[in-house]
Each structure stands twice: as C-alpha cells, then as structure tokens.
C-alpha cells in the first residue's frame, strides 16, 4: 500500500484546480478525526482513507467531458480513474472494488451500505455544510447534522465545527 503514490496521483489530477486538492485534504482530515473517535479497524481505516483521497477524482474529467461537475457525472467518471490509480499503487483487488464503489456513489447517500462509506459521507458532508447556504441558520444546520451523521464522533465533530455545541 502506497498512500503517497495515491495522494500524488490525486494532486496530479487536480493540478489546475487547487481547490480540489484543498477540499480533498480537508475531507481526509475530517475522516481521520472521525475514525480516531470510532476506533475504526485497520482495514476499514485504509478503505476510508483511500476513498477520501479519491472521492472527487472524477470531477475534472466530468467537467472536461460533459461541461459539468454535477454529482452523478462525477460518480460515472470517478471509478475508472480511481481504479487505475489504486492498481498502480498495488492495492488489492477487493479493496479497489470497495473504494471504487464508494467513489461511484459518493453523492448518493441512499447507497450507503457500511461504516466505511458512512464515514466518507460524513467527512465530505461536513465540508459542504461549512461552506453551504445553511451556514448561518443553526436550526437548518442541526437538522442536516441529525439527518446525515450516524457516527457519534462524526456528530460531535460536525457540531463542534459548525458552532452547534
Ligand atoms: Fe467532496
């Protein structure tokens, strides 16, 4: 497993879009903080880290091919790019499939089927809420947190970051 290679490949994809790298790094950091609070097992931890690094990897290709970074287009374009990066980094096949499933559904919370996907969802949703239109509406924020965050450390982190405690 070569995390540095995966991070390097992500930075290469986003070389003309610095926001993509910054956003990815924030999601990665959120995911790490949530996992520290949840005592996440090692294999799950690796999947979450890889999926966090690659979750938006289809955005640039979606824009190039379709002129849009809409979520469902990112979900289509992301997995083939993620698969190539992960195979190049020597990640085992089952893990590649799981990470690609999360990348391919990361705008579709109804597809969340495990704690790994849930943590990536929370880490990314926190960034959306920090920069979203509900930012100045505590009641709306609280509703979003209650509706989207299932892990206790994710809920706590979100409330802290959003000033809801
Ligand atoms: Fe994201």
């Amino acid at each position: 497993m070569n995390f540095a290679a995966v991070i390097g490949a992500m930075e290469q994809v986003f070389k003309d879009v610095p926001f993509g790298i910054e956003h990815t790094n924030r999601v990665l950091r959120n995911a790490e903080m949530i996992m520290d609070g949840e005592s996440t097992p090692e294999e799950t931890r690796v999947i979450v880290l890889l999926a966090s690094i690659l979750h938006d990897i289809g955005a640039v290709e979606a824009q190039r091919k379709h002129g849009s970074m809409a979520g469902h287009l990112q979900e289509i374009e992301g997995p083939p790019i993620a698969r190539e990066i992960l195979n190049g980094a020597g990640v085992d096949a089952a893990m590649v499939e799981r990470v690609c499933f999360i990348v391919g559904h990361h705008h579709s919370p109804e597809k969340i089927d495990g704690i790994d996907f849930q943590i990536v969802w929370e880490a990314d949703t926190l960034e959306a809420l920090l920069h979203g239109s509900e930012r100045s509406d505590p009641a709306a924020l609280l509703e979003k947190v209650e509706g989207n965050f299932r892990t206790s450390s994710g809920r706590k982190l979100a409330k802290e970051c959003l000033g809801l405690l």
Side-chain angles (χ1 to χ4, degrees):
M1 171 69 54
N2 187 343
F3 277 112
V6 178
I7 290 173
M10 177 277 292
E11 289 175 345
Q12 185 60 28
V13 167
F14 285 120
K15 64 182 189 303
D16 298 322
V17 195
F19 173 79
I21 299 173
E22 289 157 26
H23 167 75
T24 297
N25 286 335
R26 285 195 297 264
V27 171
L28 183 57
R29 193 198 55 212
N30 293 344
E32 284 177 318
M33 285 192 282
I34 294 169
M35 289 193 289
D36 287 345
E38 296 294 310
S39 339
T40 307
E42 184 58 23
E43 188 179 337
T44 304
R45 203 176 167 91
V46 173
I47 290 169
V48 170
L49 295 175
L50 292 171
S52 297
I53 297 165
L54 296 173
H55 76 282
D56 276 344
I57 204 71
V60 175
E61 185 65 3
Q63 182 66 39
R64 192 189 68 80
K65 220 190 247 183
H66 310 281
S68 163
M69 289 190 185
H72 72 285
L73 298 173
Q74 291 191 36
E75 291 184 344
I76 293 168
E77 301 302 335
I81 303 168
R83 186 169 282 112
E84 198 181 322
I85 293 171
L86 293 166
N87 286 335
V91 177
D92 79 63
M95 202 173 267
V96 170
E97 284 318 304
R98 184 60 184 160
V99 172
C100 286
F101 178 82
I102 297 172
V103 172
H105 298 88
H106 80 278
H107 281 275
S108 304
E110 72 279 7
K111 299 286 189 193
I112 293 174
D113 60 352
I115 187 70
D116 46 5
F117 193 165
Q118 177 65 36
I119 292 171
V120 176
W121 175 256
E122 293 181 7
D124 197 24
T125 299
L126 178 52
E127 288 309 308
L129 293 178
L130 280 166
H131 301 102
S133 54
E134 304 97 343
R135 189 68 184 90
S136 56
D137 182 345
L141 282 175
L142 195 57
E143 202 181 308
K144 291 275 184 185
V145 171
E146 301 292 346
N148 286 286
F149 290 72
R150 303 265 176 274
T151 69
S152 51
S153 55
R155 269 188 195 206
K156 184 161 172 280
L157 177 68
K159 288 179 182 173
E160 275 168 15
C161 291
L162 294 164
L164 297 172
L165 284 179

